[in-house]
Amino acid sequence: MNLTKEQQAVIDANSRKILVKAGAGTGKTEVLIRRIVRLIEEDPSLSITQMAIITFTNKATEELQARLKNRLYAKWSSCSSESERKRFRYELELLNSSQISTIHKFCKNILNEAGPYYLDDVLFNPNFHIKNDSHKQAITEVIEVWIQEKRANNEPVEHLNIMPVHKLKDILSTSYELLRTKGLDIETVLTRTKRYSSLEERTTRRLKIELVELLKRIHEHNYLLKYNSLDVDDLLEYCYKILKNDYGLLRKIQQKYRYIFIDEFQDTSLYQAEMVKLICDGSDDAPALFLVGDLKQSIYEFRGADIDSYSKIEEWIAKDGMVLTLSTNWRSNPSLVMFVNTVFDRIKKKESSNYTFYQEPLKPKEEEAHISFSEISEWILCNPTESQEKKVAEWLKKKLSNDDPSRYCLLFRKNFEIKAFEKEFTKQKIPFKVIGSGDFYNCREIIDALKLLQYLYMPTMSKYAFEALGTIFINYDHNKLDELYKNIKPLIPKFTPAQILDYIYKFTLAHKAYPKQAYANLVKLKQLARDLGFNEHITLGQFIQWLSAMIQAKKDEPQADVLDADSDDRYVTMMTIHKAKGLEFPIVILPNLDQSISQRALNPEILYHRHQMTLEFCYEKYYSTGTKIVSKNYEEAVNLNQYSIYSEELRVLYVALTRAKEKLVLVGSANCPKSKICYQNWLKID
């Protein structure tokens, strides 16, 4: 790879604080790796173990480690002196034990260094395991006690006049996850929400007070339940709070690392940003900081990504560090790069009050005398009577008569959109693979596994016996069900849930009987059962409760990845846009561009008012369709929220468009209203 001047400038920069604003396809990972090797090469006292290299996902960690290994190997093999060869050989051996990980693993390592630790709102022991659903248990237990107390004191429960208990649990779960994910100070938000409730009408005031009371109890009870565990959000929060409180530990971490590298920093959270400022505070032996990010690709607000935190870090670095840019796109056809620039220049010129986009145009890798958008983009527009999945399948089938299926990828905004295309592609016999679909707990084989386990655990329940017969495992074979129960009955008290699942799979010849994707999902379920058993020693009954809760909550979990050996890896890929981050494909197909932005996202039941720092709600009466109870400042909070939602949707669209190397196939409606806010109208170039 021949480096450009801007790439070489990033590799050679010597400031102790550097932010690289790297656009899509600009070679940021290669530049990051070359900078690391350059630093090791120029400083004989520096080792890879004195660097903390932080990535966004485990997959990105593996890729970066592999590429860094190749670069170090190339350096070792090309060294002229024996001492240099020995040194780089040593660095290669140290690579596997170096700090290259996600931010969560980095924080866990720091917490382990801290050892057992206690603050008013932090309780940590290195022996704690990661648990993701303690707040759900807290919600269930708190609501039970709370309702009993209200009834014992003859106090009315305003929420139960509007909704059943299970709906109240959903609202509390959404509220609590919202506060935790964004890294908000829960006590502050609840205090302000209660204070502002005095401005509400009688009913909404009571609802707000109940909401605050319940969330406060849940937060306190959740803390008590985690006496031997912590969740993913705790890792960042605890790490930041302990480092802020314990100067000795902070100094220890500062002295341990000479350099900190963080990739995909646009997806940083509030706690991560504050932690970076603590560790890299500019003191003499604090580590040098190197961040890579692109605001245009910040698409994880639902996981706590905070654009304001990124912007503040950029300002902080600009004061006494360097802000550099990588803008030349090496991935895509120059005409495609110009198409993307034109789309977002047009959007920016409209200056809508509904959204904003941080447009920083990409540069094509080479100048083209002839720019033709028709060669790199194609529209498939459907009439109301036509299905997009059928029209795309027919278009694709013609292309595949003389083209490789692996060159094509369909990218979707939401997981649920994939199902219709899976069904149509199967019907049309088009080879395909779905990557990371998040509906694992909605798959028939997982639901059927639950039904069969329920029967084996409680065989006298006629309902469970009937449901077990209809599963893919039994297929209405009474003798098969009887024989399975007879064989496994004496083993149930001795076996773990994972062993019971394994026995079922072998008895029913699952590896032969079911499609590859279904069997891969079942294997993943067994692994999840094994992980739960390892961490918490759960019984079959507890595993059934856990799996039932995951299915009922429609927990977002990707299906197992599976390669179709018969297709020789020649298949069309389907995945969500979020899963495609960091990937590239020759031809990208974007269906359902005419769909409106989700009303549930734009008008949620409960949301955070970012200016007032309060919770606001819009409850629809469960027993009376169309009747809503709305808090006083809900509409104002919605307007602020919608601005954020629309702006992130633009960034999601940007990520989707910049995955393509050669061509974009855009799929929408022939009758899409021009006033509609949707991807199709954003993409239309007059």
Side-chain angles (χ1 to χ4, degrees):
M1 174 181 174
N2 294 321
L3 298 171
T4 63
K5 288 183 179 179
E6 61 180 7
Q7 287 174 327
Q8 194 64 58
V10 171
I11 294 168
D12 294 339
N14 287 317
S15 174
R16 292 186 57 76
K17 291 178 188 172
I18 298 172
L19 169 64
V20 181
K21 299 163 75 171
T26 56
K28 65 181 179 64
T29 305
E30 181 66 20
V31 168
L32 177 66
I33 288 167
R34 291 203 187 201
R35 178 174 175 82
I36 291 168
V37 174
R38 193 269 294 178
L39 290 169
I40 294 172
E41 183 181 9
E42 291 183 357
D43 185 352
S45 68
L46 178 64
S47 170
I48 191 74
T49 57
Q50 295 171 297
M51 298 178 174
I53 305 167
I54 299 168
T55 60
F56 190 63
T57 64
N58 288 322
K59 187 175 181 181
T61 297
E62 292 168 6
E63 181 191 350
L64 193 142
Q65 199 162 17
R67 291 177 65 173
L68 188 52
K69 183 177 182 179
N70 290 338
R71 176 60 60 178
L72 286 170
Y73 180 82
K75 191 67 192 171
W76 167 76
S77 60
S78 64
C79 285
S80 55
S81 72
E82 188 59 30
S83 61
E84 281 291 283
R85 284 177 64 83
K86 282 183 179 179
R87 182 162 169 255
F88 276 96
R89 176 72 183 182
Y90 186 54
E91 293 302 318
L92 274 166
E93 291 171 355
L94 291 173
L95 189 60
N96 288 334
S97 59
S98 60
Q99 176 59 63
I100 304 176
S101 71
T102 63
I103 183 64
H104 294 97
K105 188 173 180 182
F106 176 68
C107 289
K108 183 66 165 64
N109 290 341
I110 291 177
L111 289 172
N112 288 342
E113 294 240 13
Y117 211 97
Y118 175 78
L119 295 171
D120 287 343
D121 54 352
V122 172
L123 177 63
F124 174 76
N125 187 296
N127 294 324
F128 283 5
H129 59 266
I130 307 298
K131 185 177 179 181
N132 291 319
D133 57 354
S134 63
H135 74 283
K136 294 186 186 296
Q137 182 184 346
I139 288 168
T140 299
E141 293 177 3
V142 163
I143 281 184
E144 266 184 43
V145 173
W146 183 76
I147 291 174
Q148 287 172 7
E149 287 177 2
K150 292 290 185 183
R151 287 174 177 166
N153 296 325
N154 291 318
E155 295 179 24
V157 179
E158 203 68 50
H159 275 86
L160 297 188
N161 293 331
I162 300 170
M163 64 189 74
V165 173
H166 73 82
K167 181 63 179 174
L168 177 56
K169 286 182 181 179
D170 289 343
I171 284 172
L172 291 170
S173 181
T174 300
S175 306
Y176 193 63
E177 288 173 10
L178 173 71
L179 296 173
R180 291 297 314 281
T181 302
K182 287 186 175 294
L184 300 169
D185 186 309
I186 293 177
E187 288 188 10
T188 299
V189 174
L190 296 182
T191 300
R192 292 181 66 84
T193 302
K194 187 174 182 179
R195 185 186 305 160
Y196 273 86
S197 69
S198 61
L199 304 175
E200 300 281 353
E201 298 293 331
R202 179 176 176 274
T203 300
T204 49
R205 180 171 67 251
R206 286 185 174 181
L207 288 168
K208 269 197 175 179
I209 290 170
E210 286 181 0
L211 183 65
V212 168
E213 185 180 342
L214 281 166
L215 286 171
K216 187 174 182 181
R217 288 196 186 194
I218 288 163
H219 187 50
E220 291 169 352
H221 193 56
N222 187 43
Y223 179 75
L224 294 176
L225 285 175
K226 294 189 295 186
Y227 65 91
N228 66 347
S229 67
L230 66 165
D231 61 36
V232 173
D233 290 326
D234 289 332
L235 289 171
L236 272 69
E237 180 184 350
Y238 286 11
C239 190
Y240 166 68
K241 288 181 175 178
I242 291 174
L243 284 173
K244 188 176 181 182
N245 183 72
D246 190 334
Y247 183 70
L249 177 64
L250 176 61
R251 295 292 296 145
K252 186 177 180 181
I253 299 303
Q254 288 178 326
Q255 291 164 8
K256 182 175 182 178
Y257 300 111
R258 291 173 59 184
Y259 291 90
I260 290 182
F261 299 84
I262 306 180
D263 196 8
E264 303 290 0
F265 196 73
Q266 74 277 354
D267 294 316
T268 189
S269 68
L270 176 64
Y271 282 126
Q272 185 178 345
E274 292 302 313
M275 205 183 323
V276 162
K277 290 167 76 173
L278 269 179
I279 297 172
C280 303
D281 61 3
S283 55
D284 290 343
D285 52 359
L289 179 64
F290 185 87
L291 306 176
V292 181
D294 180 14
L295 267 184
K296 302 188 296 300
Q297 298 186 72
S298 178
I299 60 173
Y300 284 99
E301 187 172 350
F302 65 94
R303 287 187 188 169
D306 183 32
I307 280 186
D308 289 341
S309 293
Y310 175 95
S311 299
K312 288 175 183 175
I313 287 286
E314 182 177 340
E315 292 173 9
W316 175 69
I317 288 178
K319 288 177 183 177
D320 56 356
M322 297 176 71
V323 178
L324 303 172
T325 301
L326 292 177
S327 58
T328 302
N329 180 291
W330 296 95
R331 172 186 297 152
S332 306
N333 179 298
S335 290
L336 220 163
V337 172
M338 297 308 296
F339 174 79
V340 173
N341 287 342
T342 302
V343 165
F344 287 98
D345 282 342
R346 175 179 169 273
I347 290 168
K348 190 175 178 68
K349 284 174 185 174
K350 282 191 171 183
E351 294 184 347
S352 171
S353 60
N354 289 323
Y355 46 77
T356 189
F357 185 76
Y358 303 92
Q359 169 65 331
E360 293 170 332
L362 292 167
K363 297 175 185 174
K365 56 190 172 186
E366 56 192 34
E367 295 294 333
E368 281 197 352
H370 174 66
I371 299 289
S372 174
F373 292 166
S374 61
E375 292 177 7
I376 52 83
S377 64
E378 178 178 347
W379 278 95
I380 298 177
L381 297 176
C382 302
N383 294 316
T385 57
E386 298 175 310
S387 74
Q388 291 193 18
E389 57 269 21
K390 185 176 181 182
K391 203 157 183 180
V392 168
E394 289 170 349
W395 177 90
L396 197 48
K397 197 152 190 180
K398 290 177 184 175
K399 297 292 182 184
L400 297 184
S401 62
N402 58 3
D403 203 356
D404 181 353
S406 62
R407 285 170 37 80
Y408 296 81
C409 177
L410 280 78
L411 297 182
F412 298 86
R413 181 64 187 90
K414 298 289 184 183
N415 276 310
F416 73 84
E417 300 173 33
I418 299 176
K419 283 291 182 187
F421 285 81
E422 282 187 72
K423 188 175 180 181
E424 186 62 36
F425 277 38
T426 301
K427 182 180 175 182
Q428 299 265 9
K429 294 186 168 68
I430 297 174
F432 69 91
K433 177 188 175 186
V434 178
I435 304 291
S437 175
D439 60 348
F440 175 79
Y441 291 110
N442 195 41
C443 293
R444 183 187 171 186
E445 59 272 14
I446 304 304
I447 296 171
D448 280 2
L450 173 64
K451 290 176 179 177
L452 187 54
L453 288 173
Q454 285 173 326
Y455 166 72
L456 295 174
Y457 186 63
M458 300 182 69
T460 56
M461 292 280 288
S462 57
K463 172 191 171 184
Y464 291 157
F466 177 76
E467 289 183 341
L469 273 171
T471 63
I472 59 172
F473 302 98
I474 306 301
N475 198 25
Y476 297 101
D477 186 334
H478 288 264
N479 293 332
K480 189 176 185 181
L481 183 60
D482 291 342
E483 187 181 352
L484 172 62
Y485 177 67
K486 179 183 175 182
N487 292 347
I488 205 171
K489 181 181 177 182
L491 303 174
I492 288 177
K494 305 174 186 177
F495 275 16
T496 65
Q499 289 172 319
I500 292 169
L501 286 171
D502 188 61
Y503 187 94
I504 292 170
Y505 300 166
K506 288 176 180 175
F507 181 86
T508 59
L509 302 176
H511 64 292
K512 293 181 180 178
Y514 315 134
K516 289 174 182 175
Q517 182 65 63
Y519 181 65
N521 285 340
L522 290 171
V523 171
K524 177 172 179 174
L525 179 64
K526 183 175 70 174
Q527 185 58 50
L528 288 170
R530 183 176 288 120
D531 292 343
L532 281 168
F534 178 77
N535 288 330
E536 301 178 43
H537 312 290
I538 62 171
T539 64
L540 177 59
Q542 289 170 327
F543 178 73
I544 288 170
Q545 285 183 339
W546 173 83
L547 182 55
S548 178
M550 294 297 102
I551 292 170
Q552 289 177 22
K554 298 178 182 177
K555 176 76 173 176
D556 188 50
E557 176 71 27
Q559 291 191 44
D561 289 342
V562 55
L563 289 174
D564 186 351
D566 297 334
S567 70
D568 192 28
D569 292 353
R570 290 161 55 86
Y571 45 76
V572 176
T573 304
M574 297 185 193
M575 67 176 75
T576 64
I577 297 168
H578 283 84
K579 286 289 178 185
K581 189 113 176 274
L583 303 178
E584 57 185 43
F585 302 90
I587 300 170
V588 169
I589 304 170
L590 300 178
N592 301 320
L593 295 174
D594 57 309
Q595 284 189 359
S596 298
I597 309 302
S598 165
Q599 286 303 306
R600 187 175 178 183
L602 293 172
N603 300 280
E605 288 177 305
I606 194 150
L607 77 165
Y608 174 67
H609 192 306
R610 57 189 67 202
H611 288 175
Q612 287 182 184
M613 295 189 292
T614 59
L615 289 174
E616 305 297 334
F617 58 77
C618 175
Y619 294 153
E620 184 167 347
K621 283 193 173 183
Y622 194 83
Y623 309 104
S624 177
T625 307
T627 306
K628 294 183 178 180
I629 298 176
V630 184
S631 65
K632 186 173 182 178
N633 293 309
Y634 176 79
E635 290 302 330
E636 186 178 306
V638 162
N639 291 334
L640 293 169
N641 183 59
Q642 288 187 356
Y643 182 86
S644 175
I645 293 289
Y646 281 133
S647 298
E648 180 163 91
E649 289 298 332
L650 277 171
R651 299 193 294 272
V652 171
L653 177 60
Y654 175 85
V655 169
L657 297 179
T658 53
R659 299 312 95 195
K661 295 169 70 176
E662 299 172 13
K663 187 172 185 177
L664 286 163
V665 180
L666 310 169
V667 188
S669 168
N671 304 103
C672 182
K674 290 185 178 180
S675 59
K676 192 176 187 180
I677 299 181
C678 62
Y679 286 2
Q680 180 167 332
N681 284 331
W682 280 339
L683 283 166
K684 282 290 186 181
I685 298 175
D686 300 327

